[in-house]
Amino acid sequence: MIDLHSHTWFSDGLLSPQDLIKRASELGINHLAITDHDSVAAHAAVSAADIPAGMRLIPGVEISTLWDNREIHIVGLFIDTADPALISLLQSQQAKRRERALDIGMKLEKAGISGLKDYLAEQPCEAVSRNHIADFLIARGHASGKQQAFSKHLGKRGRYHSNAHWCSISDAVAAINSANGIAVVAHPDRYKLNRIKLRRLLTEFTEAGGAALEVSYSNLHPDKMKNLADLCCELNMWASIGSDFHTPHTTWMDLGRVRKLPAHCEDRALWLHPRWTNTVE
């Protein structure tokens, strides 16, 4: 079984890299990509002894970008995690994450909610996210759950919202390509784009050197998956799959919880890509 999108506690996942790998193995995953947000620290934390026999661990990352005033996530697979251009971009992205957290922390302080800085310092993450801040608000009793934390406090209409000035899609793709990776548009139906805008996004992505599209992922309706498969074929893109796993508690996004690719795009499956066959096989 293949899962090409997962997160550890180095971004906003719950598990350590070792525990993520262990869970994947227990669930029958034999090809796993760790794709933390704007971080490759998980890969440095893993040793050969952590990887069970028969499993291939694929180095990856998920880069936050800004396109048409929307946050779009670009996954990089089979990357060289030591590539200087990629590391430089990720360092810039992490700095932007810290700046946003600092800005939100200042807004919280003005509202009489203190302690965010100390809370974040205790977390193992390298890439600070709004999910961590949501957890802080929940722990302090200022939100009943993630949904309320975002709708009331951290989302675009939230009281403590702060914009993040992410890199462009072309910058993300260039860094992934520099690292000899495969650039993939992550979970495309979550951006609330109509078909015309989605096609424009994918066209600009491929023109920038992007190669693939997540066609199958957790909690995706079969009709939407078929539409994505159609676009994948029409735009001559490779088709990827991934659960976007963050925590075992979200069972509908558990490792491996993805459908098979639609038959008409099976010949576009990412595991048929030359980079895959040259690296994995």
Side-chain angles (χ1 to χ4, degrees):
M1 195 173 357
I2 297 171
D3 195 326
L4 302 179
H5 191 161
S6 67
H7 297 275
T8 75
W9 64 20
F10 282 103
S11 61
D12 58 350
L14 180 66
L15 303 181
S16 69
Q18 288 75 17
D19 286 341
L20 174 68
I21 292 168
K22 180 180 178 183
R23 183 172 184 82
S25 179
E26 291 171 348
L27 292 174
I29 309 293
N30 52 24
H31 292 83
L32 175 70
I34 297 179
T35 54
D36 277 318
H37 296 286
D38 297 319
S39 172
V40 293
H43 297 287
V46 172
S47 69
D50 296 322
I51 305 171
M55 176 183 283
R56 297 285 185 173
L57 187 64
I58 297 166
V61 70
E62 183 173 14
I63 301 175
S64 296
T65 73
L66 197 62
W67 178 85
D68 199 27
N69 204 32
R70 297 173 187 265
E71 184 173 313
I72 307 294
H73 291 179
I74 306 298
V75 165
L77 298 172
F78 292 105
I79 54 171
D80 172 3
T81 58
D83 179 77
L86 177 65
I87 293 300
S88 177
L89 178 66
L90 297 184
Q91 289 173 341
S92 174
Q93 293 280 101
Q94 290 165 20
K96 291 173 182 177
R97 288 177 173 276
R98 292 190 294 270
E99 290 166 7
R100 179 175 64 175
L102 180 62
D103 183 48
I104 293 173
M106 291 174 63
K107 293 177 179 179
L108 290 172
E109 291 277 357
K110 289 179 181 178
I113 304 172
S114 60
L116 177 63
K117 183 178 180 180
D118 290 341
Y119 175 86
L120 293 177
E122 295 171 353
Q123 307 307 309
C125 61
E126 180 177 67
V128 177
S129 74
R130 289 182 302 168
N131 271 317
H132 297 104
I133 301 173
D135 288 338
F136 165 78
L137 291 171
I138 294 166
R140 295 301 173 91
H142 298 291
S144 60
K146 287 284 182 75
Q147 184 173 353
Q148 187 187 60
F150 277 88
S151 63
K152 185 177 180 181
H153 301 302
L154 302 174
K156 285 190 175 181
R157 297 183 180 180
R159 183 178 179 185
Y160 313 116
H161 175 69
S162 179
N163 287 317
H165 305 286
W166 303 126
C167 69
S168 67
I169 284 180
S170 59
D171 285 342
V173 171
I176 292 167
N177 287 344
S178 172
N180 202 25
I182 302 171
V184 186
V185 175
H187 40 65
D189 87 309
R190 297 181 188 168
Y191 307 126
K192 302 188 187 308
L193 299 171
N194 61 34
R195 192 172 179 85
I196 293 173
K197 283 193 173 181
L198 178 56
R199 179 180 285 274
R200 180 161 67 86
L201 164 65
L202 298 179
T203 299
E204 292 182 19
F205 170 74
T206 56
E207 288 175 349
L213 173 69
E214 277 188 357
V215 170
S216 179
Y217 44 95
S218 298
N219 212 28
L220 178 65
H221 192 280
D223 290 344
K224 290 186 176 181
M225 183 171 67
K226 179 185 178 302
N227 291 338
L228 293 175
D230 291 344
L231 281 170
C232 189
C233 294
E234 291 169 20
L235 297 174
N236 197 30
M237 301 176 74
W238 294 94
S240 187
I241 63 174
S243 62
D244 194 15
F245 173 86
H246 285 76
T247 167
H249 305 311
T250 311
T251 56
W252 59 92
M253 292 177 65
D254 207 347
L255 290 161
R257 289 294 294 268
V258 293
R259 292 184 173 89
K260 286 182 60 178
L261 289 175
H264 67 288
C265 80
E266 284 181 340
D267 63 340
R268 307 301 305 162
L270 199 65
W271 42 94
L272 300 178
H273 190 289
R275 182 80 174 89
W276 178 292
T277 54
N278 292 340
T279 303
V280 174
E281 303 302 331

